[in-house]
């Protein structure tokens, strides 16, 4: 076998396989713990380590003692429309993985934005399969450039969170092939990933970890995937069906449907050992690729040049920001005064909730970034409105540690906490602590308030808690399980207030949350998940908004930062609506009424309703911008850099306008009844207008589209920068059949390219038109079929802003 970037010896793998007995082989497929596979010294195999890693590499211990670079969210990465930048991001993550001893990243997520209500929307790239495949290809190539594996996930149709463990997603063959399988196929063919992760859900009645057709016949057979197939965590359910369905590794270990259960099934004659050998061979091939198998040269022997993580995080962020509206407010006029408003400007949300979370060693908020960028005295700040009136994990002002004790009260170990959230899964426990000996955890430390008044404190999680603040016991009781169906939903669910204490600004007090463990409230995985939560003094919301409006009135420009919260966007549950939480809409309206030169920065991972969007001077989408988000924001607002993003998904004006919203199964089934018509395809079909269309994004210069030339290989588009400053343009090509003979969307993205030019200069975008852009999946023949006829090739700045058109005739031959 060979790799696109090197070669390794199949003989080494076969020799290693031949030395293993049945028990060793099945043990290798089961995982030894939460994140790794067992070492087999008899064949020179070291333990293979996996880690979550869409935006940063958590490592095997989720701890602030070993911080991680936090890049912008995957949706932000897709908003750059730049596979080369995604590849650089992947190389950085490989660099981080090697530093943390990780061989395989559990990423990227290439499920589609089927509905804006998808709770994990921020962790996926786009509503469009082509854009998703291109960005995912860049990411995978970059990670594997660094000698680290990827697992493209979640295969397949895992596009919502509600009942994700059990839902049967019913998808017709054409949309399954043309939409949901398409990005996986593109990445397999163009990046040759070393791993795939199969999803929790069923597709058309078969659980994905047991889906013989989609895994063995399509993924491995048609596409030629030669990597390893790992289950999503806890997704494997049946020994025989999983191994025969093409699942190589069942995670996490050591108790899975593989291991001893698989060996017993072979010995009982229920499973053929050749199926086990095939799975082990795939794992050993992975080990050879990453350099974990003695005698096999790894694929990568010369690593890419080191990357500056902070600098790249800042670059990706500014390149991802999408300026959807600008009536002359941006860039800021030098020398002007600015009122920065909104709680999210001070305490920005830089990443989404769930398994994508990491702990960066620092974060730059919008307030931090603008304070550093603007002259002294030019910036004022007011809270205005908070995204949430709920308690949240203790953060600013808290210095906390987690102390672990055994049943006798003896301290086993301790670890620092960046906030009041304990989220230990698998080996995340502090040094010296084991689950067998761990009896209780105490979050302890000090809190120095940022403001005087009544501070609320509470808990989130299940089981017994004793909460003490400033020497006063606020709660001593037990929290029972509610109706949550998902462990992440339970963990990220509603926090509970346990009491209030009057505190004085800048005067520290001692705090403690003691939590004994018991089996009744044990997590479904080896782990501990609970939070010490806090909410500062609540002032009258109308007064806060009035203060913000007054500050806006006194400034040349008002900048309002609005945001979602982890209770809105997170793994484990879907969204109920698209509204901004709290009084943030009221804040924007009041500020805009006070100062017509109002800029709104939207700190959200996926679409939100913006009922005030036509009443403000500018709207900038910053996604979850990663650790350097505030610095990148200052770059863009001041005009030091151009906002580089284009929308990777359509933004509706209201949820009622969105054509596809169903994410809740009925009787265990979720029917993708919309077929081929999701995202902009559905908006076109319905003839409705969104707030902002797919591909939209403004810069700080203007562009003229001068020429479109077609060739057998693709298209060349010449553009001219007609503005006064350098800029970057994302040239987009859409294909529209002229007189269609089959049911299809009216147009679809077929290619794109970024070009740069100075004032008055021209640039040419060379864009390949793939054959697949003119094909459909023929359900009768079970094959891709070109549809002959005339197609209009549309070149432009977005789906709805096409500047040039030309006709291309396609024949039906290959």
């Amino acid at each position: 076998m060979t790799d696109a970037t090197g070669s390794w010896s199949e003989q080494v793998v076969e020799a290693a396989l031949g030395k293993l007995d049945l028990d060793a082989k099945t043990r290798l497929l089961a995982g030894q713990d939460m994140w790794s596979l067992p070492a087999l010294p008899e064949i020179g195999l070291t333990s293979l380590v996996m880690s979550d890693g869409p935006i940063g590499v958590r490592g095997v211990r989720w701890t602030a003692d070993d911080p991680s670079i936090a890049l912008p969210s995957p949706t932000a990465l897709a908003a750059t429309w730049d596979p080369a930048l995604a590849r650089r991001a992947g190389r950085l993550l490989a660099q981080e993985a090697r530093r943390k001893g990780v061989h395989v990243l559990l990423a990227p997520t290439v499920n589609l934005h089927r509905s804006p209500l998808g709770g994990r929307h921020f962790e996926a790239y786009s509503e469009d399969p082509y854009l998703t495949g291109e960005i995912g290809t860049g990411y995978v190539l970059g990670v594997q450039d660094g000698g680290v594996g990827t697992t493209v996930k979640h295969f397949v149709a895992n596009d919502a969170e509600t009942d994700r463990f059990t839902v049967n997603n019913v998808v017709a063959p054409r949309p399954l092939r043309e939409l949901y399988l398409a990005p996986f196929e593109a990445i397999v063919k163009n990046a040759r990933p070393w791993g795939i992760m199969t999803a929790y859900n069923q597709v058309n009645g078969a659980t994905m970890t047991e889906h013989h057709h989609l895994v063995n016949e399509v993924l491995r057979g048609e596409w030629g995937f030669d990597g390893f197939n790992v289950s999503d965590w806890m997704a494997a359910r049946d020994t025989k069906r999983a191994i025969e369905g093409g699942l190589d590794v069942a995670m996490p270990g050591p108790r899975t449907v593989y291991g001893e259960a698989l060996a017993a099934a072979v010995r009982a004659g229920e499973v053929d050992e050749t199926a086990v050998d095939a799975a082990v061979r795939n794992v050993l091939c992975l080990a050879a690729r990453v350099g974990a198998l003695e005698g096999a040269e790894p694929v990568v022997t010369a690593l890419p040049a080191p990357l500056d993580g902070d600098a790249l995080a800042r670059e990706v962020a500014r390149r991802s920001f999408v300026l959807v509206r600008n009536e002359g407010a941006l860039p800021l006029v030098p020398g002007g005064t600015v009122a920065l408003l909104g709680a999210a400007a001070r305490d920005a949300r830089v990443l989404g909730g769930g398994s994508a979370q990491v702990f960066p060693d620092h974060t730059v908020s919008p307030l931090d970034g603008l304070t550093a960028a603007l002259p002294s005295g030019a910036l004022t700040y007011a809270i205005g409105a908070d995204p949430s009136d709920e308690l949240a994990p203790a953060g600013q002002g808290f210095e906390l540690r987690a102390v672990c004790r055994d049943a006798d009260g003896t301290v086993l170990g301790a670890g620092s906490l960046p906030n009041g959230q304990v989220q230990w899964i698998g080996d995340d426990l502090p040094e010296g602590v084991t689950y067998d000996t761990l009896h209780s955890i105490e979050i302890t430390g000090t809190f120095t308030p940022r403001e005087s008044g009544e501070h609320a404190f509470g808990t989130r999680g299940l089981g017994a808690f004793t909460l003490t603040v400033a020497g006063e016991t606020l709660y001593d009781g037990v929290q029972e399980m509610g109706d949550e169906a998902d462990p992440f939903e339970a963990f990220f669910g509603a926090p509970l207030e346990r009491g209030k204490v009057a505190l004085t600004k800048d005067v520290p007090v001692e705090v403690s949350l003691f939590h004994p463990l018991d089996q009744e409230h044990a997590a479904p995985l080896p782990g501990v998940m609970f939070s010490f939560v806090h909410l500062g003094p609540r002032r009258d919301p109308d007064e806060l908004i009035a203060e913000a409006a007054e500050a806006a009135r006194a400034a040349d420009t008002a900048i309002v930062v609005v945001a979602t919260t982890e209770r809105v966007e997170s793994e484990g549950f879907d969204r109920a609506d698209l509204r901004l939480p709290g009084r943030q809409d009221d804040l924007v309206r009041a500020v805009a009424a006070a100062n017509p030169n109002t800029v709104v920065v939207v700190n959200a991972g996926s679409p939100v309703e913006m009922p005030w969007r036509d009443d403000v001077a500018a709207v900038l989408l910053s996604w979850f911008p990663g650790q350097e988000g505030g610095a990148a924001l200052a770059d863009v607002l001041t005009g030091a850099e151009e906002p580089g993003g284009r929308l990777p998904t359509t933004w509706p004006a209201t949820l009622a306008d969105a054509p596809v919203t169903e994410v809740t199964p009925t009787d265990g089934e979720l029917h993708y009844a919309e077929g081929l018509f999701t995202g902009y395809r559905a908006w076109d079909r319905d003839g409705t207008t969104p707030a902002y269309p797919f591909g939209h994004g403004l810069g700080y210069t203007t562009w003229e589209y001068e020429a479109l030339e077609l060739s057998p290989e693709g298209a060349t588009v010449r553009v001219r920068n007609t503005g006064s400053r350098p800029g970057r343009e994302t040239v987009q090509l859409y294909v529209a059949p002229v007189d269609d003979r089959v049911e299809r969307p009216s147009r679809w993205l077929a290619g794109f390219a970024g070009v740069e030019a100075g004032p008055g200069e021209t640039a040419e975008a060379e864009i390949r038109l793939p054959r697949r852009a003119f094909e459909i999946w023929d359900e009768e023949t079970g094959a891709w079929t070109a549809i002959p006829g005339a197609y209009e090739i549309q070149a432009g700045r977005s789906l709805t802003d096409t500047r040039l058109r030309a006709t291309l005739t396609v024949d039906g031959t290959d």
Side-chain angles (χ1 to χ4, degrees):
M1 295 181 181
T2 60
D3 262 272
T5 53
S7 63
W8 45 270
S9 172
E10 186 176 351
Q11 287 76 16
V12 175
V13 168
E14 292 301 323
L17 177 60
K19 295 176 183 177
L20 298 177
D21 63 20
L22 177 62
D23 292 318
K25 288 187 287 191
T26 57
R27 189 168 72 252
L28 179 61
L29 304 181
Q32 67 177 349
D33 53 29
M34 182 60 63
W35 303 113
S36 67
L37 304 183
L40 297 177
E42 64 268 33
I43 59 170
L45 176 68
T46 59
S47 177
L48 285 163
V49 178
M50 294 171 268
S51 170
D52 285 314
I55 59 102
V57 184
R58 71 184 297 282
V60 297
R61 294 183 62 240
W62 210 332
T63 169
D65 296 331
D66 182 18
S68 308
I69 297 291
L71 295 174
S73 64
T75 304
L77 187 61
T80 69
W81 286 60
D82 190 344
L85 184 58
R87 188 166 189 167
R88 289 171 56 210
R91 287 182 171 184
L92 173 65
L93 293 175
Q95 177 178 301
E96 283 278 280
R98 293 193 307 272
R99 180 176 66 81
K100 289 174 175 273
V102 169
H103 300 102
V104 180
L105 288 186
L106 304 173
T109 300
V110 299
N111 301 115
L112 297 185
H113 297 169
R114 174 179 168 267
S115 164
L117 293 178
R120 213 169 174 179
H121 195 297
F122 62 89
E123 197 182 319
Y125 291 131
S126 169
E127 71 186 21
D128 182 76
Y130 181 78
L131 177 59
T132 296
E134 290 293 294
I135 299 297
T137 292
Y139 177 100
V140 169
L141 287 172
V143 173
Q144 294 180 177
D145 284 345
V148 174
T150 57
T151 59
V152 188
K153 65 182 187 180
H154 306 84
F155 189 74
V156 61
N158 186 181
D159 310 299
E161 295 294 281
T162 304
D163 295 343
R164 61 177 175 161
F165 293 98
T166 57
V167 62
N168 177 27
N169 292 323
V170 180
V171 194
R174 272 195 69 193
L176 183 61
R177 289 281 187 159
E178 296 181 25
L179 298 180
Y180 303 101
L181 286 171
F184 289 96
E185 180 182 9
I187 294 169
V188 167
K189 292 187 174 180
N190 297 325
R192 302 216 34 199
W194 301 344
I196 289 280
M197 180 188 291
T198 40
Y200 293 120
N201 54 281
Q202 302 174 55
V203 172
N204 299 330
T207 299
M208 280 310 307
T209 50
E210 305 165 5
H211 212 302
H212 177 84
H213 169 62
L214 290 179
V215 173
N216 288 333
E217 296 177 357
V218 177
L219 175 65
R220 293 198 185 278
E222 290 182 30
W223 302 349
F225 172 68
D226 64 357
F228 91 118
N229 172 16
V230 61
S231 72
D232 204 341
W233 267 228
M234 302 186 298
R237 294 150 203 182
D238 183 274
T239 301
K240 177 179 171 62
R241 291 200 299 266
I243 195 70
E244 293 179 351
L247 182 70
D248 297 325
V249 174
M251 290 295 289
R255 293 182 296 276
T256 78
V257 298
Y258 284 175
E260 293 179 1
L262 180 54
V266 172
R267 291 188 173 108
E270 298 169 0
V271 169
D272 195 313
E273 191 168 354
T274 58
V276 175
D277 288 346
V280 172
R281 186 177 292 110
N282 290 332
V283 174
L284 294 178
C285 288
L286 170 68
R289 284 171 161 146
V290 301
L293 181 62
E294 187 177 307
E297 185 177 34
V299 170
V300 177
T301 55
L303 295 172
L307 290 164
D308 182 324
D310 294 351
L312 185 56
R314 186 169 179 169
E315 179 184 354
V316 174
R318 64 174 172 78
R319 289 282 308 283
S320 75
F321 294 164
V322 182
L323 185 61
V324 294
R325 176 179 172 84
N326 188 21
E327 300 299 308
L330 294 177
L332 297 173
V333 176
T337 57
V338 173
L340 182 63
L341 312 165
R346 182 182 66 181
D347 302 320
R349 188 176 184 201
V350 300
L351 43 77
S355 59
Q357 285 190 322
V358 294
F359 297 125
D361 67 4
H362 69 274
T363 60
V364 183
S365 70
L367 180 56
D368 296 331
L370 282 170
T371 298
L374 296 177
S376 177
L379 181 70
T380 59
Y381 172 72
I383 292 175
D386 199 307
S388 175
D389 56 5
E390 288 188 332
L391 290 81
Q396 294 287 339
F398 288 86
E399 293 186 8
L400 303 172
R401 298 173 71 244
V403 179
C404 300
R405 296 181 174 89
D406 65 14
D408 297 324
T410 302
V411 174
L412 300 171
S416 60
L417 293 175
N419 56 38
Q421 185 169 291
V422 173
Q423 189 169 329
W424 296 336
I425 302 175
D427 295 332
D428 292 341
L429 299 176
E431 192 76 29
V433 181
T434 67
Y435 288 104
D436 291 338
T437 56
L438 180 60
H439 183 265
S440 68
I441 299 140
E442 182 182 13
I443 299 176
T444 182
T446 61
F447 171 49
T448 304
R450 293 191 288 188
E451 49 196 329
S452 298
E454 277 204 327
H455 289 253
F457 298 87
T459 63
R460 184 170 63 181
L462 304 176
F465 296 98
T466 302
L467 174 62
T468 305
V469 176
E472 178 184 352
T473 299
L474 302 184
Y475 178 74
D476 188 359
V478 177
Q479 177 62 38
E480 301 293 347
M481 182 72 176
D483 58 1
E484 299 91 349
D486 188 301
F488 276 104
E489 182 179 6
F491 176 62
F492 289 111
L496 296 171
E497 182 179 317
R498 303 301 189 183
K500 293 180 178 177
V501 180
L503 301 177
T504 304
K505 180 182 179 181
D506 296 332
V507 177
V509 295
E510 293 187 354
V511 296
S512 167
L513 178 63
F514 180 76
H515 178 50
L517 305 178
D518 63 69
Q519 287 303 309
E520 181 183 352
H521 299 100
L525 296 169
V528 181
M529 300 171 73
F530 71 100
S531 296
F532 172 33
V533 295
H534 163 261
L535 184 65
R538 294 290 88 184
R539 289 182 52 202
D540 181 86
D542 291 329
E543 288 183 9
L544 290 175
I545 291 174
E547 286 181 4
E550 191 59 34
R553 191 173 290 110
D556 294 318
T557 303
I559 300 174
V560 187
V561 182
V562 296
T564 58
T565 69
E566 68 175 22
R567 294 276 280 124
V568 174
E569 293 185 88
S570 178
E571 180 177 351
F573 54 88
D574 291 312
R575 300 166 72 187
D577 55 57
L578 302 183
R579 295 191 296 271
L580 285 168
R583 295 282 302 278
Q584 295 182 101
D585 286 336
D586 293 338
L587 171 65
V588 173
R589 291 187 183 100
V591 170
N595 187 335
N597 203 37
T598 291
V599 177
V600 182
V601 178
V602 182
N603 179 196
S606 49
V608 296
E609 294 177 2
M610 299 181 289
W612 33 258
R613 67 188 183 281
D614 294 332
D615 302 324
V616 299
V619 179
L620 181 71
L621 311 182
S622 70
W623 314 106
F624 296 146
Q627 66 179 51
E628 304 298 324
L633 182 63
D635 291 340
V636 166
L637 293 177
T638 61
E641 301 287 353
E642 185 179 43
R646 303 293 184 265
L647 283 180
T649 200
T650 307
W651 276 51
T654 69
L655 177 60
D657 295 336
V660 180
T661 58
E662 187 59 65
V663 293
T664 302
T666 300
D667 297 328
E669 292 190 343
L670 182 62
H671 289 257
Y672 285 32
E674 68 282 351
L676 299 169
F677 298 94
T678 63
Y680 63 82
R681 294 163 167 82
W683 288 91
D684 271 355
R685 178 197 59 186
D686 294 351
T688 51
T689 303
Y692 301 109
F694 178 80
H696 174 64
L698 307 173
Y700 289 157
T701 189
T702 54
W703 296 88
E704 180 181 343
Y705 280 59
E706 294 186 338
L708 166 63
E709 295 181 4
L710 300 181
S711 70
E713 291 73 35
T716 300
V717 183
R718 187 174 72 247
V719 296
R720 181 181 299 276
N721 182 344
T722 55
S724 60
R725 56 176 288 161
R728 178 183 175 89
E729 175 73 336
T730 299
V731 179
Q732 303 164 36
L733 283 188
Y734 296 88
V735 167
V738 175
D739 291 308
D740 213 356
R741 48 188 278 190
V742 297
E743 182 188 35
R744 278 189 293 183
S746 60
R747 54 187 164 174
W748 53 89
L749 180 70
F752 60 90
V755 295
E756 296 180 357
E761 294 179 348
T762 61
E764 288 190 345
E766 302 284 347
I767 305 175
R768 181 180 64 88
L769 279 172
R771 179 71 174 177
R772 182 61 58 81
F774 306 97
E775 296 177 334
I776 68 165
W777 181 258
D778 189 321
E779 295 183 352
E780 291 186 6
T781 63
W784 290 100
T785 302
I787 304 300
Y791 290 83
E792 186 176 73
I793 309 301
Q794 305 172 354
R797 308 197 73 245
S798 76
L799 179 79
T800 59
D801 185 5
T802 53
R803 305 293 183 86
L804 299 170
R805 300 172 184 236
T807 300
L808 178 69
T809 300
V810 173
D811 61 34
T813 61
D814 289 333

